[in-house]
Amino acid sequence: MKEPTRAARRAHQQRMKNRAMRTMRLWALRPNAPVDPRDLGVNASTHCRPCACWMCQAKGREVPQPRERAFDHPELPDCG
């Protein structure tokens, strides 16, 4: 099978970064939220599915898992 050209690889990488940026802004619940370039690259390369290791989940250690949160936990977004 023929290898993709440099232009095709770059187009694919840009498409994945755009998708990751849209997903990250949806997670933030703000359409114009600033996005950290490092987090954008990580999410683009993992297709917005980070693993569960301690290095990938280091920022969320203070927030309990969803099943362990109370209904009125302050970290939950306000839907009303």
Side-chain angles (χ1 to χ4, degrees):
M1 190 166 148
K2 185 177 176 182
E3 297 230 0
T5 63
R6 182 184 305 173
R9 288 193 309 266
R10 287 182 177 173
H12 177 67
Q13 183 180 18
Q14 188 60 43
R15 185 176 56 84
M16 294 309 296
K17 284 187 178 185
N18 289 340
R19 178 185 178 275
M21 186 175 297
R22 281 194 313 269
T23 304
M24 290 172 71
R25 285 182 174 165
L26 282 173
W27 289 343
L29 299 176
R30 293 187 331 232
N32 295 325
V35 176
D36 182 30
R38 183 179 177 105
D39 290 338
L40 177 64
V42 168
N43 283 330
S45 68
T46 60
H47 304 285
C48 294
R49 291 186 215 107
C51 70
C53 75
W54 64 272
M55 292 182 288
C56 293
Q57 302 295 325
K59 290 192 288 189
R61 290 232 174 232
E62 294 82 27
V63 179
Q65 295 295 322
R67 66 176 178 253
E68 298 171 358
R69 293 182 197 157
F71 181 73
D72 56 351
H73 193 273
E75 293 292 322
L76 292 174
D78 186 19
C79 295

